[in-house]
Amino acid sequence: MSHVVLALGLVLAVEGLVMALAPRRIEDALRLIASLGIDQRRMIGLVALALGVLVAWLAGPF
């Protein structure tokens, strides 16, 4: 359970850092994402999910 809390804290820290350092880039990225079709967004989400699971699997002793 502590690993989950640690991972959540790291995600929040990185997201906060990006929002603090480059808020205009975030707006540009959100506009780009909004311009994509639903299927393209779904595919990007699935690829990100697969990469996240792969990284976690390679990094941790599962």
Side-chain angles (χ1 to χ4, degrees), residues 3-50:
H3 287 81
V4 173
V5 175
L6 175 62
L8 181 60
L10 288 172
V11 167
L12 289 172
V14 170
E15 291 290 331
L17 183 63
V18 171
M19 292 289 283
L21 295 178
R24 288 189 201 260
R25 300 286 287 208
I26 294 296
E27 290 176 359
D28 294 341
L30 288 174
R31 274 193 289 277
L32 176 66
I33 291 169
S35 71
L36 297 174
I38 190 78
D39 290 333
Q40 289 173 311
R41 284 184 268 170
R42 183 172 286 125
M43 186 55 64
I44 290 170
L46 289 172
V47 169
L49 172 65

